[in-house]
Amino acid sequence: MSLKFQAAPKDELVWHGLDSMTLLFHRPSGITHMLAEPAPAILEVMDNDWLTAAAIAQRLSRQFEIEPGANAENVVSARLNELFDLGLVARVSH
């Protein structure tokens, strides 16, 4: 059983960069979240697809230089669970 995640629809999110943080307004909840990397990058590479943490880590590694030996999948998985708790991603078991 693997978990797959999908980002909230793009029309539900309003992005604003603020120095090293990203402000993300979630229209359905009316809440503005302050996100640090890699959370904004994770949401961006998800597009509108249902993806596993491993697939997202792979997409990120194509766009960003990730340190050799870094366990990107574990980092992505932890951030996805946080984003799920915030209501910014949906999660299903497959």
Side-chain angles (χ1 to χ4, degrees):
M1 174 176 77
S2 65
L3 293 176
K4 288 192 173 186
F5 297 84
Q6 183 182 48
K10 293 182 188 285
D11 64 346
E12 292 182 0
L13 305 173
V14 178
W15 298 74
H16 182 74
L18 181 67
D19 295 324
S20 64
M21 302 292 286
T22 298
L23 297 178
L24 186 61
F25 177 70
H26 184 234
R27 286 186 168 119
S29 68
I31 297 172
T32 300
H33 302 279
M34 290 183 66
L35 303 177
E37 290 298 344
I42 289 169
L43 291 170
E44 288 178 23
V45 300
M46 291 176 78
D47 208 16
N48 198 26
D49 302 326
W50 283 95
L51 300 165
T52 63
I56 295 166
Q58 188 176 44
R59 285 185 180 190
L60 286 169
S61 69
R62 281 182 270 188
Q63 289 188 336
F64 303 99
E65 190 173 315
I66 296 177
E67 292 179 32
N71 194 336
E73 185 177 342
N74 283 348
V75 172
V76 168
S77 182
R79 296 301 79 76
L80 285 168
N81 287 316
E82 292 169 359
L83 292 167
F84 174 77
D85 290 342
L86 295 174
L88 300 175
V89 299
R91 178 172 65 194
V92 294
S93 297
H94 282 247

